[in-house]
Amino acid sequence: MNIRLGIIAISTLLLVASCGTDKMAVKDSKNALPQASKSEQASKTEQVSKSETASKPATTKATKESSFAFVEKVNDRKVTADNIVADLTFSATMGGKDVSVPGSLHMRKDQMIRLQLFVPLLRTEVGRLEFTPDYVLVVDRLHKQYVKEDYNKLDFLRDNGLDFYALQALFWNQLFLPGKKTVGEGDVAKFYADLSGSTQTVPVTLKSGNLAYQWNADRESGKINEVKASYVSTQHGKSTLTMKYANFKALGAKAFPSYEELTFQTTATKKMEKVTMILDMDEPNASSKWSTETTLPSKYKKIEATDIFSKLFNM
C-alpha cells in the first residue's frame, strides 16, 4: 500500500490542478495521500529554519545597485555540473496519511528530470515521473499504464510559468524567469532584492501578471534556502508552490541541497488540496553514466490524467 501511495504522491503533485477543474477525478481525502515521517520532517524543517534565525547582521540600506549586486551573487551560486544523481528517501503527505519509500533522482541539464520510486529492499521500480523540455511522463508500473503530455495540455503548469526550465531551476536550487531557459546577466535587473532591515534572510522577488515569486536567500552567502511561487486567477483560484532547501553538500565547485521539500496547495479543485513531497538524498554526485531514454513495454496502456487519478485514488 505504501508503494501505491507513493505513486499517488508523485502523480498528485504533478496533476492535481494541471488539467483544469473540469477534468479532475480527485475524490475525498480519505483515499488520498500521505504525510512524510513526522520525526524526520521535523528534524529537517528545523535545519531549514536555522539559517533564517542566525545572528543578525548590521542593517543594510536598499538601493538599486545593492539589489542588482545581491541578485547577481545569488545567481552566481548555481551548480555548474551537467548531471546530478542521487539515491534518496522519498516521503510525502496528503490528507493526513504518510508514505516513505526508497527512490532515486537523475537530472541532466536542459534534458531531463527523472524521479523513480522503488519497492523497499528489492529496489524494483514501481513509479516514475519524468520532465523533459517537450513532455511530462508519469509511469504506473503497478497497473502497467502511463500518462504522457506536453506542457500545453497541463493548464496549471503553463499558467504558473512552470515549464521544464522553471521546474529544472526549482530542483537545481536556482533563480528562474517564466518562459526563459536561463537567467543571464541582462536578466538580473528584473529581480528585486529587499536588503533593508537586518535579518539574515533577504527576499528576492519577481512579479509577472498573476504570478508572484519570492526566493529567500542568505544575506552573506547568497544561498537560496526557500522559494515561493503564487498564482491567483478567477478560473483556477489560488495556488502556492513552496520549495525548501537544506543540507547543502559540495558538488563540483558549488554546493547543492541534498534535502528538498516541495509543498503545493491549491483551490483549483474547488476545495483546498495540499501535497508535500520530500527528497532526502544520500550523496548527490555528478555522474553521467545513465541514459535519458525511457522505453515502455507495448502492453503498457497510455491513459488520460483523469483515468490514472480514478484508478489511484480508489485503491
Side-chain angles (χ1 to χ4, degrees), residues 99-117:
V99 62
S100 183
V101 295
S104 71
L105 181 68
H106 289 74
M107 301 193 292
R108 181 162 292 161
K109 186 178 293 182
D110 300 336
Q111 294 185 48
M112 170 76 70
I113 301 169
R114 175 186 293 157
L115 174 64
Q116 296 165 272
L117 301 185

Side-chain angles (χ1 to χ4, degrees), residues 36-45 47-48 84-92 99-105 115-118 123 171 243-249 256-262 276-284:
S37 156
K38 290 185 174 61
S39 60
E40 293 180 5
Q41 187 173 353
S43 173
K44 300 299 181 180
T45 302
Q47 294 178 41
V48 172
I84 299 177
V85 176
D87 289 330
L88 55 83
T89 298
F90 172 90
S91 303
V99 62
S100 183
V101 295
S104 71
L105 181 68
L115 174 64
Q116 296 165 272
L117 301 185
F118 304 120
R123 300 285 296 181
F171 281 95
M243 179 81 93
K244 295 182 179 181
Y245 308 95
N247 292 352
F248 284 78
K249 298 181 179 180
F256 180 77
S258 62
Y259 174 87
E260 298 185 346
E261 177 182 324
L262 193 156
T276 295
M277 179 180 79
I278 294 175
L279 306 181
D280 192 357
M281 304 172 220
D282 293 337
E283 294 293 335

